[in-house]
Amino acid sequence: MKATTGDWLVVDHGGRRGLIVEVRHEDGMPPYLVRWLDDGHEALVFPGPDAHVVTAEDEAARLRAG
């Protein structure tokens, strides 16, 4: 799993989504500092196998499509 700041972390189990506000490693590997949409809480996350990254571009396209 690799991400950049501005990407989204989606946890498939429960449908939780969060904005990745900080990537701690230059290669884009976890952990990520994530601001969760449901409560605004920020947490350092080591994503499990039930999570995936959505790029900022893909998220923007999803929102435009409605």
Side-chain angles (χ1 to χ4, degrees), residues 5-9 17-22 33-37 42 56:
T5 299
D7 288 348
W8 293 84
L9 185 67
R17 301 175 69 82
L19 178 65
I20 298 173
V21 296
E22 183 180 336
L33 184 62
V34 175
R35 183 180 308 123
W36 296 108
L37 287 181
E42 288 188 2

Side-chain angles (χ1 to χ4, degrees), residues 12-63:
D12 298 325
H13 179 51
R16 199 166 194 204
R17 301 175 69 82
L19 178 65
I20 298 173
V21 296
E22 183 180 336
V23 177
R24 300 261 170 127
H25 297 283
E26 289 184 19
D27 63 1
M29 298 296 286
Y32 308 126
L33 184 62
V34 175
R35 183 180 308 123
W36 296 108
L37 287 181
D38 58 354
D39 62 7
H41 178 77
E42 288 188 2
L44 189 62
V45 178
F46 293 82
D50 63 337
H52 66 276
V53 172
V54 176
T55 66
E57 294 81 15
D58 287 347
E59 180 69 6
R62 182 185 75 82
L63 292 173

